[in-house]
Amino acid sequence: MGGLSLKRLTFFLLIALFLGFSSFEHCNARKGKHWRHKHNRAASASLAKMKGKSHGKSHHHGSSGSGSKPKPPSPPGKGHTGPKEHTPPPPPPPKKYNGGHSAVFDVLDFGAKGDGNTDDTKAFQAAWAAACKVQASTVVVPSEFVFLVGPISFSGPYCQSKIVFQSLKSNNSVELCPSLNTVYVSDLLQLDGTIIAPTSSKAWGSGLLQWLEFTKLKDIKIQGKGVIDGRGSVWWSESSLDDPRDDETDLIVPITKDSMNDSLDTPISSELSGKMPSIKPTALRFYGSIGVTVTGITIQNSPQCHLKFDNCIGVEVFDMIVSSPGDSLNTDGIHLQNSQNVLIHSTNLACGDDCVSIQTGCSNVYIHNVNCGPGHGISIGGLGRENTKACVSNITVRDVMMHNTMNGVRIKTWQGGLGSVQGVLFSNIQVSEVQIPIVIDQFYCDKSKCKNQTSAVALSGITYEKIRGTYTVKPVHFACSDSLPCMDITLTSIELKPLQERYHLYEPFCWQTFGELSTPTVPPIDCLRIGKPSSNRIQSSHDSCSA
């Protein structure tokens, strides 16, 4: 019996060892699979980096990476509470995108309809709120949809870094390309749709300064071929005669009364006059952000400015389009304020005000290879309004084509201002049918009357070279301050020929403008005073920008 028990005990021990070994192998296999999964994800990410990270490019039109196109959500059945309802459901788990290294949040999964009629603002907010918690996430706005989005602000101080706001599309989608920390819109997909603004006064209350706003972000990139449509005509037609105007009508005198009415009248009020608020919003605004890129998209028909950067450092805008009628009031293309290290290039800007407006606090701005027109040209200012201090420095504008604009390159300041503009280069500007190609106006006034004041924003170190083409009013208008004349104004290779249209033609005009002619000019700009002024007020420390 003892021998038998020993044999049975040995048999049970062998079985136990076999089962333990099998369990150990199974656990190791699971761990190995998990390791391989992590390893493959890392390898995919490394491969993506080796291929240039693809910058959000992908051949698929959905967010799952399966190659299937996103489908419009079907109407939910009775009692249905799935993720396609308009009321935002609980946040779904993020999908994976681009090799699995980016979490994707599709606005359709948060209740967006994308039918162009339903208000999708809450769905965009919900998608952003979820993405904000995940580092290197992507917010996807699919392509076959048109999204009606009301005033919205995407804020970044408490968000994870490198969040992507991506608009994927194939046919008719809109892309709001917002993002707070890097907005990628796949440049391999055609973004042909639009995000549209509401045209009901109820959506705007008493008035707002912006429609789509991105604040306090880092490394933001908006990229794509979609359209952001402000539907601003309802605002333009209701513009009051008291709105600030940029006509400088004293410089431009039409030949006939009829042409004056055609060119200088404000838009006729519509039957809806008085219903929209007087404060008109900017379409897309970035505030307090570092490392902002906007490329590929179209912004059109903004109620006021199309694209604005306030208090931003490190901005690049390229391969994008701004499109609004030439008579749309105060619709600047790109507006810069208190922003440094800005690069704008390879862009088409057509609007009803300045193609690019550079305001106080801007430095190290480089603009090149830009098409401007219609519009009011590229302007520095107006600066110094209501006796404020303005500082602008190191501005380069070159390789620009302007057609049918009010001005070419312009600097404008109000009387009574303080500060300075210095270190400005305008080079290789081709003008066609431009009213006044070169303008300095230190008596700028957007009202019917402005009082004379002695203090001024000082202008110095302004260079104009290779500015050629045709004008319709006058080639050059330099109107500088009596107390602070313009100094170090250099003109080189200026060739401007008149094109008689509907305006009187004038000779070059200069007032208190000092500098040099490096080469003969066409026409001769004999009014420029060579050298420096005999007496010039020295700026005190409180109004100098060097402090």
Side-chain angles (χ1 to χ4, degrees), residues 254-265 502:
I255 291 176
T256 67
K257 184 177 181 180
D258 289 339
S259 63
M260 176 163 46
N261 291 335
D262 290 342
S263 62
L264 301 180
D265 280 352
R502 56 182 178 177

Side-chain angles (χ1 to χ4, degrees), residues 27 36 41 102 195 232 261 264 266 295-296 320 360 371 381 506 541 547:
C27 290
R36 287 194 300 273
R41 289 178 60 188
S102 177
I195 287 181
N261 291 335
L264 301 180
T266 54
T295 178
M320 73 159 290
T360 184
N371 294 325
Y506 294 88
S541 58

Side-chain angles (χ1 to χ4, degrees), residues 416-445:
L418 306 171
S420 67
V421 175
Q422 54 187 345
V424 178
L425 171 64
F426 298 113
S427 175
N428 196 27
I429 313 295
Q430 184 69 40
V431 296
S432 173
E433 300 180 44
V434 170
Q435 294 173 11
I436 310 177
I438 299 174
V439 178
I440 292 179
D441 185 7
Q442 290 200 275
F443 300 90
Y444 180 74
C445 176

